[in-house]
Amino acid sequence: MQFLKKIWHLPKIIYLAIAILIISFFLINLETGAVEISSIEFIGEATLPKGLSFQKTEVGGLSGITYDAKTDLYYAISDDRGQKASARFYTFKIELNKGYLQNGGVIPVGVTTLLNDNNQPFPANATDTEGIAVTRDETVFISSEGDVNRLVAPFIKEFNLASGQVIQTLPIPQNFLPNNNGKQGIRNNLAFENLTITPDNQSLFTATENALIQDGVIAEPNIGTSCRILQYNFHNNQPEKEFLYQTEPVASFFNPTGKFASGLTDLLALDNQGHFLSIERSFTGLGFTVFLFKFSLAAANNINNIDSLLAVNTTKINPVQKKLLLDLRTLDVALDNIEGLTLGPQLPNKQRLLILVSDNNFNTIQRTQFLAFQLKIESPIMSLFQRIFWQK
C-alpha cells in the first residue's frame, strides 16, 4: 500500500510524459501503417474459357494484376508481344459467390491499348509487358522486359488509365541495361517481371526475375538466383535504392524435357515500411511449384553502389528477410503459371481479398487461372493487444 501511495504522489510531469509516450506510440504505428499477416485461407478459383475473345483480342498472357479501390476494378497486363494484338491491359470485375470465387466470377469489362511516345500502338516485338500497378491519380505504371536478343530496351512507363497514352518514362540504372559485350545487365525474358506501389503512393518497386549477368547465375535445379529489387522515389521519379532478393532453389524432380523456368514473378507492397508479399514460381517439366512469401527490407543492405555481386563478398550483404506464407502445392488445385498478385477489397468478415493470376502463355494446354484467398491483416498494435489480453 505504501508503494501505491508513493506512485500516486509522483510529480504530474511524469504522468504527462508517460501519456505522451503512449500516444506517440499509437500515432507512429497508425502513420506507418505497418502490417502483419496472421492467417491465409484459400477461397476458390476461376478459369477463363480457352481462347476467350474480348473486343477483338484474345485474352491471355496475364502476367500482372492490380486493384483499383476507387472503381472496385482490377487491371491485368498481357505479355503478348504484339503477336495476337497490340500491347494492352484488361479491366476485370471479380465477384465472389457467398464468399467464394468460382467460374464466372471473373468478368472482362474493358481492354486498353497502350500507346508509345508517338501516340501510336506499340509495334510487334517492341514490348514484353509484365508488371502493372495503379496509382492514386488513376494512372498505371507498366514494366516491359524488352528483348535483349533484339536489342529492345526494357522500360517502366506511366500511362493514362483511360486512354493508354504514355505520361512519363522512369530512368533505369545503367547496371541493369545490357551492354554490347553481353557481360552486363538483364537477361532476356528474366527482367522486370513485376511492379508494386506503396499505399502512400510515395515509392515504386520492381525486381528482376533472375540475377543480372554480372550478379550471378540464373536459377537452376537445386540452385536459386540473386535478384535485385529496385526502388523508385516518386518525389523525383528517380531510382533510389536496390536490395538483394535470393530465390529458393528450383525444385528438383522428374524432368523428362530437361527444360525449366524459375524466378521472382511478382511483388506486392503491404505497407509503407518495407513489408511485401512475393511470388516465386518454378516449372521443371512436371507441373508448377509456387511459393507465396512475406518479406521485409528492414535489415537489408542498400546495394545500389555495387555494380557486380560477383565482384564482392556477398556473405557481408544482408538480403531481404523472407518468411514462407504458403506453398501452393498444398492446395487441392492444379496450379498453372502463377505470375501476378494483388490485394482486393475488404471482405464482409473484415479480412482482405488476395487475388493471384496465371499467365497461360497463349498455350492451348495451359489456363488463365485466378486464385482467391482471404488474409487476416493486423496492425502491430492489434497484434500486441491480442497477445497480451487474449492469449490463452
Side-chain angles (χ1 to χ4, degrees):
M1 184 62 71
Q2 292 297 323
F3 176 72
L4 293 176
K5 288 181 178 179
K6 289 180 180 179
I7 293 178
W8 181 256
H9 289 94
L10 287 173
K12 292 182 179 179
I13 187 66
I14 294 179
Y15 292 116
L16 179 61
I18 293 173
I20 291 173
L21 286 174
I22 293 174
I23 293 171
S24 298
F25 175 79
F26 275 84
L27 290 177
I28 289 172
N29 278 274
L30 286 173
E31 181 180 347
T32 58
V35 297
E36 295 182 5
I37 296 174
S38 57
S39 69
I40 178 170
E41 179 183 350
F42 177 59
I43 55 170
E45 69 167 323
T47 58
L48 298 183
K50 292 187 177 181
L52 175 65
S53 179
F54 181 78
Q55 294 185 7
K56 299 180 180 180
T57 68
E58 182 176 341
V59 181
L62 304 185
S63 184
I65 189 169
T66 186
Y67 174 68
D68 187 350
K70 289 184 179 180
T71 60
D72 193 29
L73 294 171
Y74 297 80
Y75 310 115
I77 186 70
S78 174
D79 67 1
D80 181 8
R81 298 190 182 194
Q83 309 307 310
K84 303 287 184 178
S86 298
R88 62 201 181 277
F89 67 87
Y90 290 92
T91 303
F92 292 96
K93 291 182 66 175
I94 296 182
E95 300 174 347
L96 304 184
N97 182 9
K98 297 180 180 180
Y100 203 77
L101 180 62
Q102 302 176 42
N103 283 338
V106 178
I107 307 155
V109 295
V111 59
T112 304
T113 299
L114 300 178
L115 305 180
N116 61 19
D117 293 334
N118 297 320
N119 214 31
Q120 298 295 319
F122 286 90
N125 299 315
T127 66
D128 183 11
T129 46
E130 299 281 359
I132 185 169
V134 67
T135 73
R136 287 180 181 175
D137 301 322
E138 294 298 281
T139 65
V140 285
F141 279 88
I142 290 173
S143 63
S144 170
E145 293 187 307
D147 190 327
V148 174
N149 297 334
R150 296 173 181 266
L151 301 180
V152 177
F155 67 68
I156 301 172
K157 293 178 182 287
E158 183 180 15
F159 295 89
N160 183 287
L161 189 59
S163 68
Q165 291 178 306
V166 66
I167 298 171
Q168 66 167 323
T169 302
L170 299 183
I172 295 175
Q174 190 64 35
N175 60 318
F176 286 82
L177 299 176
N179 62 10
N180 293 331
N181 60 20
K183 295 182 178 180
Q184 174 189 292
I186 57 172
R187 289 179 159 97
N188 195 52
N189 205 33
L190 294 172
F192 299 134
E193 183 77 21
N194 45 68
L195 277 183
T196 187
I197 295 172
T198 52
D200 62 7
N201 217 64
Q202 298 301 305
S203 298
L204 177 144
F205 290 83
T206 187
T208 57
E209 185 177 357
N210 268 225
L212 299 177
I213 292 173
Q214 70 270 25
D215 281 345
V217 299
I218 62 172
E220 298 179 2
N222 299 314
I223 298 176
T225 188
S226 300
C227 305
R228 285 202 190 216
I229 296 175
L230 177 58
Q231 177 182 353
Y232 284 85
N233 186 332
F234 275 159
H235 289 292
N236 56 17
N237 293 323
Q238 294 295 313
E240 185 175 52
K241 297 178 181 179
E242 296 172 25
F243 305 95
L244 172 60
Y245 183 109
Q246 191 69 39
T247 70
E248 299 303 297
V250 178
S252 180
F253 49 79
F254 180 64
N255 183 7
T257 66
K259 298 180 180 180
F260 60 87
S262 184
L264 174 61
T265 61
D266 211 356
L267 306 175
L268 176 64
L270 291 171
D271 57 30
N272 307 317
Q273 302 306 306
H275 298 99
F276 297 79
L277 295 181
S278 63
I279 291 176
E280 295 183 27
R281 178 268 294 123
S282 297
F283 176 75
T284 56
L286 196 65
F288 292 92
T289 297
V290 182
F291 295 128
L292 179 65
F293 288 94
K294 180 186 176 186
F295 72 88
S296 171
L297 302 180
N301 296 131
N302 179 10
I303 59 171
N304 68 345
N305 62 342
I306 300 176
D307 290 332
S308 169
L309 293 177
L310 292 176
V312 300
N313 183 359
T314 55
T315 62
K316 295 183 178 181
I317 297 175
N318 292 329
V320 304
Q321 296 177 321
K322 294 163 46 181
K323 175 184 177 182
L324 180 64
L325 282 182
L326 183 64
D327 179 347
L328 272 69
R329 293 175 299 179
T330 62
L331 304 177
D332 187 21
V333 171
L335 296 175
D336 212 285
N337 182 31
I338 301 294
E339 290 197 354
L341 82 166
T342 189
L343 282 179
Q346 188 178 72
L347 299 170
N349 61 5
K350 306 301 181 184
Q351 299 191 29
R352 286 292 296 277
L353 178 62
L354 175 69
I355 295 291
L356 277 61
V357 68
S358 73
D359 173 3
N360 70 347
N361 294 308
F362 296 97
N363 189 327
T364 56
I365 64 173
Q366 289 186 250
R367 300 167 297 151
T368 299
Q369 178 184 50
F370 291 78
L371 302 178
F373 301 83
Q374 59 180 12
L375 296 183
K376 190 173 183 181
I377 300 178
E378 300 172 335
S379 71
I381 295 175
M382 291 303 300
S383 180
L384 176 63
F385 277 6
Q386 288 191 8
R387 287 197 296 267
I388 294 174
F389 296 108
W390 286 284
Q391 193 173 46
K392 294 182 179 180

